[in-house]
Amino acid sequence: MIKKILSILMLISLLIVFSLASFEALENSNSFSKDFYIENTYKHTGSKNLVTGIYLDYRLFDSIFEASILLVSVTGIIFMSKRDDEVL
Amino acid sequence: MKLSIILAFITLLIGIYGLIISKNIIKSIICFNISQGAVVLLFLTFSKEYPSSIPIISENSSNMVDPLPQALMLTTIVIGAAITALALMLSIKIFHYYGTLDWKEFIERNG
Amino acid sequence: MKYIPIYLIFIPIITSMIIYLFNNKYVNYLVFLSQGVITYFSIKYFSLNNHFLESNILNLGGWEKAIGISLKNDRLSMAFIFLSIFIWWVILLYSWNNRKGDFKFLFFLLFLEGAFLGLLQTNDLFNLFIFIEITTIISTILIIYKKDGYSVKSGLYYLLFNSTGMIFYLLGLILVYTVTGTLNMDIAKERIELLNNTLIIKLAFVFIMASIGVKSAFFPVYNWLPKAHGAAPASISALLSGLLIKSGIYAYIRLHYIFNINDLNDLFFILGILTALSGIIFALSQKDIKQVLAFHTISQIGIILMGLSSYETKANIGGLLHVFNHALFKSLLFLGSGIIINHYNTRKITEIRGVFKRLPVVSVIMIIGMFSITGAPFFNGFVSKTIIKYGIKHNSFHSILFFIINLGTCISFIKFSQIFFGDFKKTDFKKIHSRSSMIILGISCLLMGILYAPIINVFYDIDLSFVNIFSLSALFNYLISLVIGFFIFKFIIDKDFYPMKKIRHLYISFETTNFMLISFIIIMTIISLR
């Protein structure tokens, strides 16, 4: 019971602090990368969809490792689900 | 705009509160998924001003939303799905070995 | 040769995929070829770049620096790369006899090496998040490799808690991105300096430090570590406890350099002291070999944090040096205990006796490891602990606490050394595997203890000759702490009083750990906003 009341109090105070910080952040936000992407994506990559241009051209390194996360987790699940007398 | 940030953060706090008080493994995994989805929503609402349009170049030239957080969130959703799948597989194995799905009953049945 | 950072990441990954495709016993020897190629490339890269007087940045794809991803190498990351390649050689040699034909184990092990080498070189904030998540997922699969009940429980706890910690990293990241407009670490550092410590930067720093605290086992949130490192197989325990826990410390150093907020240094020093003390208290009450060593990892991380978070330069260097020394001797102890557990078929300290007669080579090398961790002269633990002691000398209360921590380590290893004496009566022993890897680690501990000055001079250009290993007062201090520890052990610890039993069976479940994570964030917010 004490744990529930304490945790609700802490989470509400976290909400107040975060909302103050984010309102202040919205006022002095820096739009350097947004302007760069809107201006230059069609020239550099040839795609009209900006999200595709970023995901597959400027940040391809992230996408390779995201695909490898899928590979590793599926391999792990297949390994986990075999019975013990079938393990190679 | 500001209201949507507060609502997304309240969803995140509900997910974290669920992680603090849930006694079942499956409920913990569901609350983790709620928190992950709330973080995705928070990222997307941080850069939207009214009026603005989707980031595809066509004949309109009004404001476009920032495309970078959307690309980052594609990756984050995939990571959340992979972790949820692995965690559910492990909870099936725990049920086979221990017969219970409670976080605290492992102490008695130390098999 | 400017693409060597990419080769270092992708050669282990492609080798692991080739090994998984052909399930053939002879293709598994490709592992040694790939390790050799990586070693050659890293040595060539280090010598070609003029010993890295300034850092070397590679922008992937040729895009502009503030927009694309870049990989950065400087002296710190090259030292970590050499350490990790060395430890991976040792682990492969140790587990080759048993796992020669086990292609799944080699697949996960080599994939982890590629991902870890990528984590050490990246210069982008979101890329760091992805590499940390890959490391978490692969470590979970390697922890549950034996598939019994205890391993699966610990693996689930580890996975869920670390992923909850990384959610807060994303919260800090969105605040940083909104204010600076870029995700590159160097450019974000310049733009944060112009902003002059507003509320946004402090809150982002608190969130990111909370998630890094989960990853590297600081005081309130370290509970996943004894369960995970105690349940894993022996070679994976050595890898996790020696090397992968240091990824949190590496991220701590990099992110501290970006944000440059010095108000919280006192808090991190106090956290280091609390981590070290609680690690020692829990380690004294355990009876399982691997749990004792896992709790000692926590207390050594506390000492490293005490070194890295103080204002003086000497203590920083001492903390950084202790990272490397700890990797060497902790892997040594875990590999040795793996051989002992396999041989005797039990895990409790009170039942194992007579190791010195049956396995003489292993016991000599374990004694070398025990001298290193307690800080005897001529071994490598002495060097880094002395430097940290010089750094905190001006505050006498901190020095007394540091002495108590060292004393606790001595007591616990006196208790551990009971396994060498006596005799053992059972007769069924299993085959023991190779000891050459442990010999390599033992020799490297001795080398770092005696020849530390030229080695550090090559890497960091710092003169360490003020640490004198031949001084009689250091030897005398060490012997006094051994004697005091022996008496405390005989009269207090050995009787196994009731508080010890209570501490041994203390179990903090998942919900309480999350509660501690939230309170950790609130306390850091309150302190930084004063």
Side-chain angles (χ1 to χ4, degrees):
Chain A
M1 198 59 207
I2 295 183
K3 196 166 84 170
K4 290 185 187 176
I5 296 179
L6 258 180
S7 53
I8 291 181
L9 277 176
M10 289 198 292
L11 292 177
I12 290 180
S13 62
L14 200 59
L15 170 69
I16 296 174
V17 171
F18 186 79
S19 43
L20 282 175
S22 60
F23 295 163
E24 190 176 332
L26 284 176
E27 284 162 21
N28 40 0
S29 72
N30 192 342
S31 65
F32 170 72
S33 74
K34 179 166 110 168
D35 298 333
F36 186 90
Y37 282 128
I38 292 178
E39 248 182 65
N40 292 338
T41 309
Y42 188 51
K43 276 189 308 192
H44 286 171
T45 68
S47 98
K48 288 190 177 172
N49 192 344
L50 300 182
V51 181
T52 308
I54 296 177
Y55 185 75
L56 288 181
D57 212 340
Y58 289 105
R59 293 204 149 247
L60 183 60
F61 200 60
D62 284 345
S63 312
I64 290 177
F65 282 101
E66 163 208 337
S68 66
I69 279 187
L70 277 177
L71 168 72
V72 168
S73 83
V74 168
T75 310
I77 290 179
I78 290 178
F79 162 71
M80 268 300 294
S81 65
K82 281 192 197 258
R83 288 170 165 270
D84 276 335
D85 48 342
E86 280 179 20
V87 164
L88 293 160
Chain B
M1 177 59 183
K2 300 185 175 180
L3 186 61
S4 50
I5 291 182
I6 294 183
L7 283 177
F9 200 70
I10 289 181
T11 314
L12 174 69
L13 293 181
I14 289 177
I16 294 180
Y17 181 68
L19 278 174
I20 293 180
I21 65 165
S22 71
K23 294 186 171 35
N24 197 349
I25 292 182
I26 305 288
K27 284 187 188 172
S28 294
I29 297 177
I30 293 178
C31 288
F32 169 73
N33 245 347
I34 292 177
S35 313
Q36 192 99 357
V39 168
V40 171
L41 199 58
L42 194 66
F43 254 78
L44 296 180
T45 58
F46 246 90
S47 62
K48 183 168 170 53
E49 318 149 349
Y50 293 97
S52 55
S53 66
I54 54 175
I56 296 181
I57 299 181
S58 48
E59 56 274 353
N60 58 346
S61 62
S62 62
N63 290 336
M64 286 199 210
V65 186
D66 195 355
L68 181 67
Q70 306 188 3
L72 300 180
M73 285 303 110
L74 282 173
T75 306
T76 310
I77 293 174
V78 169
I79 292 180
I83 291 180
T84 308
L86 198 58
L88 285 173
M89 183 69 216
L90 289 179
S91 61
I92 291 179
K93 278 288 181 184
I94 286 183
F95 188 69
H96 277 161
Y97 283 123
Y98 285 102
T100 175
L101 274 181
D102 195 310
W103 276 113
K104 279 191 177 162
E105 283 196 13
F106 297 138
I107 315 176
E108 288 100 27
R109 318 180 188 203
N110 205 3
Chain C
M1 280 298 131
K2 67 176 177 152
Y3 290 116
I4 285 187
I6 300 198
Y7 294 154
L8 284 178
I9 299 178
F10 280 105
I11 286 180
I13 292 182
I14 294 180
T15 311
S16 68
M17 289 190 199
I18 291 179
I19 288 181
Y20 194 74
L21 278 177
F22 298 88
N23 335 349
N24 193 356
K25 214 172 54 163
Y26 297 106
V27 181
N28 289 352
Y29 282 91
L30 211 56
V31 167
F32 291 115
L33 177 68
S34 82
Q35 279 288 111
V37 168
I38 290 182
T39 319
Y40 169 67
F41 272 153
S42 61
I43 294 179
K44 188 166 173 186
Y45 190 56
F46 185 69
S47 62
L48 271 184
N49 280 39
N50 198 6
H51 297 282
F52 281 99
L53 289 174
E54 58 217 20
S55 54
N56 181 22
I57 297 182
L58 164 71
N59 292 327
L60 290 177
W63 304 115
E64 188 183 308
K65 206 162 90 149
I67 292 298
I69 302 178
S70 59
L71 299 176
K72 176 169 106 165
N73 276 321
D74 55 354
R75 290 188 140 170
L76 178 69
S77 68
M78 283 313 284
F80 267 94
I81 286 178
F82 280 132
L83 176 73
S84 61
I85 293 181
F86 179 64
I87 300 250
W88 245 282
W89 265 116
V90 168
I91 299 284
L92 277 175
L93 281 175
Y94 178 83
S95 58
W96 185 248
N97 271 344
N98 283 355
R99 313 259 188 208
K100 236 185 317 212
D102 197 353
F103 59 95
K104 292 188 183 179
F105 186 77
L106 293 175
F107 171 73
F108 289 121
L109 196 64
L110 286 185
F111 212 103
L112 186 59
E113 176 172 20
F116 190 67
L117 287 178
L119 196 154
L120 295 176
Q121 298 180 41
T122 181
N123 201 13
D124 187 86
L125 287 169
F126 192 69
N127 219 5
L128 187 66
F129 169 73
I130 289 189
F131 278 125
I132 292 180
E133 292 282 15
I134 292 186
T135 316
T136 306
I137 290 180
I138 302 184
S139 307
T140 308
I141 297 177
L142 282 175
I143 286 175
I144 63 175
Y145 202 80
K146 280 196 298 197
K147 287 196 219 179
D148 57 348
Y150 185 51
S151 312
V152 177
K153 167 178 76 169
S154 316
L156 181 65
Y157 192 102
Y158 171 71
L159 178 69
L160 276 183
F161 189 52
N162 278 16
S163 307
T164 310
M166 286 326 260
I167 287 182
F168 288 101
Y169 184 89
L170 286 178
L171 280 180
L173 184 67
I174 186 62
L175 286 175
V176 168
Y177 174 67
T178 310
V179 169
T180 62
T182 177
L183 284 176
N184 196 358
M185 282 190 195
D186 296 330
I187 298 186
K189 174 179 163 59
E190 292 167 16
R191 291 185 188 176
I192 284 177
E193 270 177 7
L194 297 174
L195 281 177
N196 230 354
N197 263 347
T198 57
L199 168 67
I200 309 167
I201 298 297
K202 285 186 185 171
L203 192 64
F205 184 66
V206 163
F207 278 141
I208 290 185
M209 277 301 140
S211 75
I212 297 296
V214 167
K215 206 53 198 160
S216 54
F218 290 165
F219 167 63
V221 286
Y222 58 71
N223 283 307
W224 54 270
L225 198 144
K227 303 181 174 64
H229 290 193
S235 49
I236 302 299
S237 265
L239 189 66
L240 280 176
S241 202
L243 198 58
L244 291 178
I245 199 78
K246 309 300 188 307
S247 69
I249 303 283
Y250 180 79
Y252 174 84
I253 297 176
R254 288 277 191 224
L255 289 167
H256 222 85
Y257 176 66
I258 295 178
F259 278 95
N260 211 6
I261 293 182
N262 286 334
D263 300 335
L264 285 179
N265 270 356
D266 291 331
L267 175 69
F268 281 120
F269 194 82
I270 295 177
L271 273 181
I273 294 180
L274 284 173
T275 315
L277 280 176
S278 59
I280 287 292
I281 293 176
F282 278 102
L284 284 172
S285 66
Q286 299 289 328
K287 286 195 178 198
D288 189 351
I289 287 187
K290 278 192 175 167
Q291 300 271 49
V292 169
L293 292 175
F295 276 111
H296 273 290
T297 302
I298 295 178
S299 79
Q300 300 293 312
I301 297 260
I303 295 181
I304 292 174
L305 191 61
M306 276 166 64
L308 284 178
S309 72
S310 63
Y311 290 100
E312 313 224 350
T313 327
K314 286 206 180 105
N316 282 351
I317 296 171
L320 200 56
L321 194 58
H322 202 66
V323 168
F324 297 106
N325 291 343
H326 176 77
L328 291 174
F329 53 68
K330 192 44 76 91
S331 322
L332 181 70
L333 287 170
F334 263 111
L335 293 179
S337 63
I339 290 184
I340 293 177
I341 289 179
N342 239 355
H343 201 64
Y344 280 82
N345 227 356
T346 173
R347 280 166 77 138
K348 288 187 182 291
I349 290 185
T350 50
E351 293 176 13
I352 298 178
R353 290 280 182 267
V355 177
F356 200 73
K357 283 189 200 155
R358 302 211 175 269
L359 307 166
V361 176
V362 171
S363 53
V364 163
I365 298 183
M366 291 276 285
I367 290 177
I368 291 181
M370 279 170 22
F371 276 140
S372 302
I373 193 172
T374 51
F378 287 105
F379 295 98
N380 53 0
F382 173 72
V383 179
S384 44
K385 284 190 183 182
T386 315
I387 300 178
I388 296 181
K389 215 186 305 192
Y390 277 162
I392 61 175
K393 203 162 48 171
H394 57 275
N395 192 345
S396 55
F397 182 55
H398 292 329
S399 304
I400 294 178
L401 283 175
F402 194 73
F403 178 69
I404 293 180
I405 294 170
N406 279 342
L407 189 66
T409 316
C410 287
I411 297 176
S412 173
F413 275 96
I414 289 176
K415 177 176 164 182
F416 193 86
S417 70
Q418 279 180 328
I419 64 174
F420 291 122
F421 308 115
D423 206 356
F424 198 66
K425 295 288 190 275
K426 276 173 68 165
T427 49
D428 49 344
F429 294 119
K430 294 201 270 196
K431 193 166 65 89
I432 43 180
H433 33 174
S434 70
R435 289 158 282 192
S436 57
S437 54
M438 293 187 51
I439 297 178
I440 297 176
L441 274 178
I443 293 180
S444 62
C445 277
L446 270 174
L447 269 179
M448 279 296 285
I450 301 181
L451 292 178
Y452 52 92
I455 297 180
I456 302 297
N457 220 358
V458 168
F459 273 108
Y460 283 107
D461 248 358
I462 298 166
D463 193 17
L464 278 186
S465 49
F466 60 88
V467 180
N468 191 4
I469 59 173
F470 292 106
S471 71
L472 272 180
S473 67
L475 194 61
F476 197 55
N477 269 344
Y478 181 67
L479 286 175
I480 285 189
S481 55
L482 267 185
V483 166
I484 298 180
F486 184 71
F487 279 115
I488 294 183
F489 168 66
K490 260 306 192 191
F491 294 122
I492 299 184
I493 308 292
D494 209 11
K495 311 279 188 184
D496 202 24
F497 287 137
Y498 182 66
M500 287 292 168
K501 285 200 172 72
K502 282 290 275 194
I503 292 178
R504 190 184 316 147
H505 291 297
L506 187 65
Y507 183 88
I508 298 188
S509 68
F510 187 67
E511 49 234 59
T512 319
T513 318
N514 283 332
F515 179 72
M516 287 192 192
L517 174 64
I518 302 293
S519 45
F520 183 47
I521 295 179
I522 296 288
I523 291 178
M524 278 211 290
T525 317
I526 292 176
I527 291 184
S528 74
L529 287 182
R530 243 185 318 137

